[in-house]
């Protein structure tokens, strides 16, 4: 397989990572595009001694670490401005290491190669990230999930993190009614619901009422939501998931939340 095809295969996952890192679809995609442009201008950015995925993520970090603001954008307001302010207060490389570990499931040696630090430091950065972000915010979470065991598992994870669950909805109708009745700070939603309705459509309807609420989608087919053809989620968990992935995604999403009900 050619290098370009190998990069194309890994690009959806780089975009997913970039969006979670910035808290924004627009910012994340801008960084991913800037990485591809940088590689085209300087092929040496893509380290041939590494696997294509690790090399691509390492090139991304070269761009990320040398850019002081979101690539190609005007100054931002609202939730993105809040996100940038919060990011400035964190220990450098902590969220990067956490996302590489929990979201993209890189090993610690691979994380060290990507962000170019010693392996022991990569492990410490992940630990620091959990400590710092667990202190950031606690809030109210709505769960949209039609599989009872998964819903209860997710509820257990987020309540142990100190969050309050407003309720669990199994269908589009239930989700919209619950969201309008109990205002959440974050929505955690499956894609396909019990009556064959769409979790995406339910979330879209709720976002009309609460436009700044962060959303985490859960799906067995993440590539279907990472096509670039329509608005896509900044936070995405792939089924089957590990507890660490849920904890990380919830922490990341809540970290970027801008609602006034959050306990900062």
């Amino acid at each position: 397989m050619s290098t370009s095809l190998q990069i194309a295969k890994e690009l959806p996952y780089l975009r997913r990572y970039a969006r979670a890192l910035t808290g924004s679809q627009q910012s994340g995609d801008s960084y991913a595009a800037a990485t591809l442009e940088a590689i085209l201008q300087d092929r040496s950015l893509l380290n041939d001694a590494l696997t294509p995925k690790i090399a691509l993520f390492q090139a991304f970090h070269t761009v990320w670490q040398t850019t002081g603001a979101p690539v190609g954008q005007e100054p931002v307001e609202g939730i993105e401005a809040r996100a940038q302010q919060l990011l400035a207060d964190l220990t450098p490389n902590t969220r990067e290491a956490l996302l590489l570990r929990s979201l993209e499931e890189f090993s610690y040696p691979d994380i060290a190669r990507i962000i170019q630090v010693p392996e022991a430091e990569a492990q410490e950065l992940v630990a620091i990230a959990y400590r710092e972000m667990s202190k950031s915010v606690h809030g109210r979470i709505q769960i949209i999930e039609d599989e009872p065991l998964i819903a209860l598992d997710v509820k257990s994870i987020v309540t142990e993190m100190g969050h309050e669950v407003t309720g669990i909805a199994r269908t589009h109708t239930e989700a919209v009614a619950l969201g309008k009745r109990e205002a959440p700070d974050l929505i955690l939603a499956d894609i396909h619901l019990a009556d064959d309705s769409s979790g995406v459509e339910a979330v879209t309807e709720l976002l009309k009422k609460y436009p700044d609420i962060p959303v985490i989608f859960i799906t067995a087919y993440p590539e279907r939501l990472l096509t670039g053809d329509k608005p896509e989620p900044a936070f995405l968990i792939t089924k089957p998931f590990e507890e660490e992935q849920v904890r990380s995604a919830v922490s990341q999403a809540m970290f970027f939340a801008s609602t006034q009900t959050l306990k900062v």
Side-chain angles (χ1 to χ4, degrees):
M1 186 183 298
S2 69
T3 300
S4 60
L5 289 177
Q6 289 175 323
I7 290 176
K9 179 181 177 181
E10 305 297 347
L11 186 58
Y13 302 101
L14 179 69
R15 293 172 61 226
R16 174 176 68 179
Y17 168 71
R19 292 170 181 193
L21 184 61
T22 60
S24 161
Q25 176 183 339
Q26 183 179 6
S27 295
D29 284 352
S30 293
Y31 270 108
T35 299
L36 296 181
E37 292 173 4
I39 291 171
L40 289 174
Q41 294 175 4
D42 183 1
R43 180 61 177 75
S44 67
L45 281 174
L46 207 62
N47 190 336
D48 292 329
L50 303 175
T51 65
K53 184 172 185 177
I54 295 174
L56 179 61
F57 275 70
Q58 187 185 80
F60 171 89
H61 271 272
T62 299
V63 173
W64 171 254
Q65 292 170 354
T66 56
T67 305
V71 175
Q73 293 188 30
E74 298 297 326
V76 295
E77 299 177 351
I79 190 169
E80 291 188 47
R82 172 181 164 81
Q84 290 180 26
Q85 180 181 3
L86 290 170
L87 286 173
D89 295 332
L90 291 179
T91 302
N93 284 329
T94 52
R95 290 187 61 256
E96 293 88 335
L98 175 60
L99 285 169
L100 289 169
R101 176 66 176 170
S102 61
L103 184 65
E104 301 305 328
E105 301 183 79
F106 282 109
S107 67
Y108 285 116
D110 288 343
I111 294 170
R113 295 184 185 99
I114 290 169
I115 62 179
Q116 301 182 59
V117 299
E119 182 179 341
E121 183 176 340
Q123 295 186 48
E124 179 61 17
L125 287 169
V126 173
I128 291 172
Y130 274 122
R131 290 198 298 269
E132 291 186 341
M133 297 195 71
S134 66
K135 298 176 182 178
S136 298
V137 288
H138 296 286
R140 294 158 52 82
I141 297 178
Q142 175 178 341
I143 298 172
I144 305 174
E145 170 61 63
D146 65 330
E147 297 184 41
L149 292 179
I150 293 179
L152 290 175
D153 189 25
V154 171
K155 179 179 180 180
S156 176
I157 293 170
V158 299
T159 52
E160 286 178 4
M161 295 174 67
H163 303 297
E164 175 188 350
V165 174
T166 63
I168 299 173
R170 300 180 65 249
T171 67
H172 173 282
T173 301
E174 290 178 8
V176 173
L178 173 62
K180 291 182 177 180
R181 185 173 66 250
E182 299 282 346
D185 297 311
L186 179 148
I187 299 172
L188 205 158
D190 195 357
I191 303 301
H192 300 292
L193 303 180
D195 57 353
D196 290 327
S197 58
S198 168
V200 175
E201 291 179 359
V203 167
T204 299
E205 189 168 342
L206 286 172
L207 288 178
K208 293 177 182 177
K209 183 175 179 64
Y210 310 114
D212 282 340
I213 289 182
V215 179
I216 300 171
F217 281 111
I218 300 177
T219 176
Y221 306 99
E223 65 278 3
R224 295 181 181 177
L225 290 177
L226 295 171
T227 63
D229 296 331
K230 56 185 178 182
E232 300 166 324
F235 302 98
L236 185 63
I237 297 175
T238 303
K239 287 184 176 181
F241 54 78
E242 300 291 335
E243 178 177 340
E244 183 181 25
Q245 292 175 303
V246 177
R247 292 176 63 88
S248 174
V250 169
S251 292
Q252 303 289 331
M254 293 294 282
F255 182 78
F256 285 114
S258 63
T259 56
Q260 296 300 313
T261 56
L262 290 181
K263 303 172 185 176
V264 181

